[in-house]
Amino acid sequence: THFISAELTEDQLLLLLESLERKIVSQQLKLVRTHITLGSFQGEAGDTLSFPHQEDQMLTIALVELSGVQLQEDGSVIPRDKPYEAVAALLVALYALHLLS
């Protein structure tokens, strides 16, 4: 927990809590793992972002962008400001929440 809180911003932690309440953590984990981590920040378009509610999609985009990655609606990724460590921390947090939920 210390690692996660040290790497994630307070805003990200609040968004993660809201994500947990909305039950979209597993979708966010899949998105981060597939489009950002495995895609190695190539910026290639993948599946479009699809969440049942617009609020869920906006929450996810905000969460990811706080890690220094611009996420497009077509699934493409544009890295900013060396986001690797921040995205890794987000991935760990999402994975832990997914296991706990």
Side-chain angles (χ1 to χ4, degrees):
T1 305
H2 177 67
F3 170 77
I4 294 171
S5 63
E7 295 293 333
L8 299 179
T9 67
E10 184 177 338
D11 288 340
Q12 283 178 301
L13 293 172
L14 292 172
L15 291 174
L16 282 171
L17 180 59
E18 188 174 344
S19 298
L20 193 58
E21 291 172 356
R22 287 180 169 274
K23 301 182 190 304
I24 59 171
V25 169
S26 62
Q27 291 173 277
Q28 292 172 330
L29 175 61
K30 181 180 176 185
L31 177 98
V32 171
R33 188 171 50 207
T34 302
H35 292 285
I36 299 174
T37 310
L38 296 181
S40 299
F41 304 99
Q42 295 299 313
E44 297 176 3
D47 298 329
T48 57
L49 286 174
S50 58
F51 286 89
H53 303 287
Q54 181 71 19
E55 296 85 4
D56 295 344
Q57 181 172 321
M58 298 308 294
L59 186 147
T60 301
I61 290 172
L63 179 63
V64 170
E65 288 188 348
L66 285 169
S67 293
V69 175
Q70 185 175 348
L71 185 60
Q72 306 295 305
E73 287 191 18
D74 67 355
S76 62
V77 174
I78 302 171
R80 300 185 323 247
D81 304 325
K82 299 181 182 179
Y84 305 102
E85 290 179 11
V87 172
L90 176 60
L91 183 63
V92 168
L94 287 169
Y95 185 73
L97 288 174
H98 175 68
L99 289 178
L100 293 172
S101 61

